[in-house]
Amino acid sequence: MGGRVMVPKFRAWASGEKLMSDVEYINFASETVVLTDTMDCFNIADVELMQSTGLKGYMDESYDDSEEKDVFSGDVIDIFWEEWPAGFYQENHMVGVVSLDKTGTAWVIQNAKYSFDGESIPDEIDGMKISRSLPDEEDLAEVPLHGFDFSSDDITILGNIYEHAELLKVS
């Protein structure tokens, strides 16, 4: 039975050269990485490797790029989703840094910031309390990405922590 083989995608940040590039190949025996953009070879210890999550998104409108992109570890993303709690429209955003969880087995958003816009939702209607699933700080420390049902249109890539360290203040 023929199956599809998933080939992990990587990119690398070479901080000395201030270069972000896709990875052409990794040689684990010699502990080297060849970058696609320059075909230069680097020691693995001299670059930050980032693995693709398998998710796709679009760059923030401040970038002149409308192509769908892979989401990698180290990216700062804004996830958007809509809800209608008790019939009231609400737009939700969660912004944070993509990373592997503490076990190294699942993709998460670390130290996420949550916000919402929309109609003012009352605490109760006709004596019935309205339950809102607003996350607390502990919930936002590691938000599993597999808990969302979204498409690439719902993910905005704001940048990454290597080229845009200022985004760490936003997330």
Side-chain angles (χ1 to χ4, degrees):
M1 176 181 274
R4 292 175 39 162
V5 176
M6 185 184 140
V7 177
K9 291 171 89 173
F10 290 89
R11 71 176 181 205
W13 170 246
S15 61
E17 287 74 17
K18 300 217 180 304
L19 172 67
M20 182 70 70
S21 173
D22 288 338
V23 171
E24 189 68 22
Y25 63 87
I26 301 171
N27 184 327
F28 290 102
S30 66
E31 297 183 356
T32 57
V33 175
V34 174
L35 304 185
T36 303
D37 290 354
T38 62
M39 295 308 286
D40 289 339
C41 184
F42 290 88
N43 187 298
I44 286 178
D46 295 334
V47 298
E48 293 291 334
L49 284 176
M50 294 157 272
Q51 185 175 356
S52 172
T53 63
L55 297 172
K56 303 265 187 192
Y58 290 93
M59 297 302 292
D60 182 68
E61 59 190 33
S62 65
Y63 293 87
D64 188 23
D65 190 342
S66 61
E67 296 293 315
E68 188 178 67
K69 302 287 182 202
D70 288 307
V71 174
F72 286 86
S73 58
D75 283 345
V76 179
I77 63 172
D78 179 346
I79 296 174
F80 168 80
W81 72 99
E82 299 171 305
E83 291 181 302
W84 290 266
F88 292 88
Y89 178 72
Q90 181 172 301
E91 294 181 353
N92 301 279
H93 291 270
M94 189 168 298
V95 177
V97 178
V98 177
S99 180
L100 283 171
D101 70 354
K102 292 174 185 155
T103 67
T105 59
W107 293 108
V108 297
I109 300 176
Q110 287 187 327
N111 303 315
K113 303 292 185 234
Y114 172 78
S115 65
F116 62 91
D117 300 316
E119 300 176 51
S120 179
I121 302 169
D123 290 330
E124 69 177 58
I125 297 175
D126 296 331
M128 186 170 75
K129 288 198 179 286
I130 303 298
S131 174
R132 289 187 225 148
S133 57
L134 300 178
D136 60 24
E137 201 161 313
E138 186 178 323
D139 294 334
L140 295 172
E142 278 194 350
V143 179
L145 285 173
H146 65 268
F148 291 90
D149 180 23
F150 46 57
S151 71
S152 56
D153 290 328
D154 303 324
I155 300 174
T156 301
I157 303 168
L158 303 176
N160 64 69
I161 61 173
Y162 302 102
E163 294 176 297
H164 306 284
E166 72 277 4
L167 290 175
L168 289 173
K169 295 174 187 162
V170 172
S171 66

